[in-house]
Amino acid sequence: MLFRSLIGAVALAAGLAMAIAAAQAQDMSKYPDWSGQWKKPNGIGNGQWDVTKPTGRAQQPPLTAEYQAVYEARLAERAAGGIGGDPTAQCIPHGMPRMMIGVYPMELVVTPKTTYMLSDYNEPRRIFTDGRDWPKEVEPTFNGYSIGKWIDEEGDGRFNLLEVESRGFRGPRTFEGSGIPLHEDGQSIIKERFYLDKGDKDLMHIDITTIDHALTRPWAVARTYRREPDPIWLFVDCSEYNPHVWVGKDSFFVSADGYLMPTKKDQSPPDLRYFKRTPK
């Protein structure tokens, strides 16, 4: 009798496991296939937040007068050979929204409760789709805190659109490499729409709108990404590949023979006052 009860319990557990697995498989059938590697199209530069416009001032960012002055100062420093306004040169993560430029290819891993965005360089990003509300307090991060909602636009029982809102940022952050700034208060609200092209399942659209106190109005851009059929994934470590070091507020380039070189004209050498002092 005990043996038969044990067999019954095992059979019940196996049946429940199969039912759960079947339910999970059925749940996943509602979601789009976003697997693989996604790359920005050829010809789109790393400095183009708005892909319809050239880099730099030609991006025409809708900045307030205060933050336009910040941007102009950064451009002047860059023209003199500096790298001001590019936090990535200090190994600071791209963060949102700059990480969506796709300097390195990205991977989107879809699960019912969370969609993960991975790449060779950026910190992993999580988009929560489990129906949660905004937490009372959010620890500021470069990627921010993202909550998404799946939508079935066609009414056929399958999701085709992911709407996302992100908040809770820390800085410094920029839109792209020339230094278009976001406000230092970190109160950006970034809204995105992820969806595949209706005529090309290997073309991803992501519409991105940034609301920020450095802007005079929301800045909306439309970006696309192409699915790579034969992907190659790399490992990119900023500290390994970064040729710049920072001493105080100045940046220096590390030459191939290991010596510091200035990054801009008339740059003063670093203060060497402690080089003759033995550390305690």
Side-chain angles (χ1 to χ4, degrees):
M1 187 71 177
L2 179 62
F3 182 68
R4 280 187 292 177
S5 298
L6 179 60
I7 292 176
V10 171
L12 178 60
L16 287 173
M18 292 176 64
I20 292 172
Q24 290 176 337
Q26 185 177 13
D27 285 344
M28 287 308 300
S29 69
K30 299 187 300 183
Y31 296 88
D33 176 15
W34 290 355
S35 61
Q37 183 186 80
W38 298 94
K39 303 172 67 174
K40 61 183 176 62
N42 294 330
I44 300 300
N46 294 335
Q48 289 176 267
W49 177 241
D50 183 342
V51 299
T52 67
K53 298 176 181 178
T55 59
R57 289 188 185 89
Q59 285 280 292
Q60 298 178 314
L63 294 169
T64 64
E66 176 186 1
Y67 275 82
Q68 183 66 41
V70 171
Y71 184 42
E72 292 295 334
R74 290 177 176 179
L75 290 175
E77 183 177 353
R78 298 294 282 274
I83 55 174
D86 188 5
T88 303
Q90 299 174 258
C91 283
I92 294 175
H94 282 151
M96 283 289 288
R98 184 177 173 182
M99 67 188 302
M100 301 310 296
I101 283 180
V103 175
Y104 293 95
M106 66 181 180
E107 181 179 15
L108 296 169
V109 181
V110 176
T111 73
K113 293 184 177 181
T114 309
T115 292
Y116 301 87
M117 176 182 163
L118 312 174
S119 84
D120 295 333
Y121 178 77
N122 296 306
E123 296 293 317
R125 181 185 175 198
R126 294 175 177 85
I127 301 172
F128 299 109
T129 55
D130 54 2
R132 69 181 63 189
D133 292 326
W134 293 100
K136 292 182 179 179
E137 295 184 8
V138 176
E139 180 69 26
T141 63
F142 292 103
N143 289 359
Y145 192 96
S146 299
I147 294 179
K149 179 182 179 181
W150 286 102
I151 296 175
D152 172 11
E153 289 185 309
E154 307 297 329
D156 59 3
R158 292 179 57 86
F159 297 125
N160 68 299
L161 172 66
L162 178 60
E163 291 188 342
V164 183
E165 183 170 319
S166 301
R167 305 181 185 184
F169 298 99
R170 61 168 294 188
R173 292 175 297 122
T174 62
F175 283 94
E176 38 68 274
S178 77
I180 299 176
L182 288 103
H183 201 285
E184 61 183 15
D185 64 10
Q187 294 183 23
S188 310
I189 297 176
I190 300 175
K191 298 183 178 184
E192 299 164 284
R193 290 165 53 89
F194 292 68
Y195 54 97
L196 295 180
D197 190 273
K198 291 184 178 181
D200 186 350
K201 65 180 179 61
D202 292 325
L203 184 64
M204 168 78 71
H205 296 268
I206 305 181
D207 303 332
I208 310 171
T209 300
T210 304
I211 303 167
D212 187 86
H213 290 150
L215 304 175
T216 59
R217 56 175 173 79
W219 192 7
V221 301
R223 304 191 63 89
T224 58
Y225 307 82
R226 172 65 60 181
R227 187 171 357 216
E228 174 59 45
D230 299 308
I232 297 176
W233 297 100
L234 304 173
F235 176 77
V236 181
D237 181 32
C238 182
S239 61
E240 180 180 356
Y241 294 98
N242 184 18
H244 295 92
V245 296
W246 287 78
V247 182
K249 295 183 179 180
D250 287 323
S251 169
F252 295 86
F253 185 83
V254 181
S255 64
D257 53 2
Y259 289 94
L260 294 181
M261 299 175 61
T263 58
K264 54 186 177 182
K265 185 179 180 180
D266 299 326
Q267 183 173 338
S268 300
D271 192 331
L272 304 178
R273 73 181 69 185
Y274 294 118
F275 271 73
K276 294 182 180 181
R277 178 179 297 182
T278 303
K280 296 182 180 179

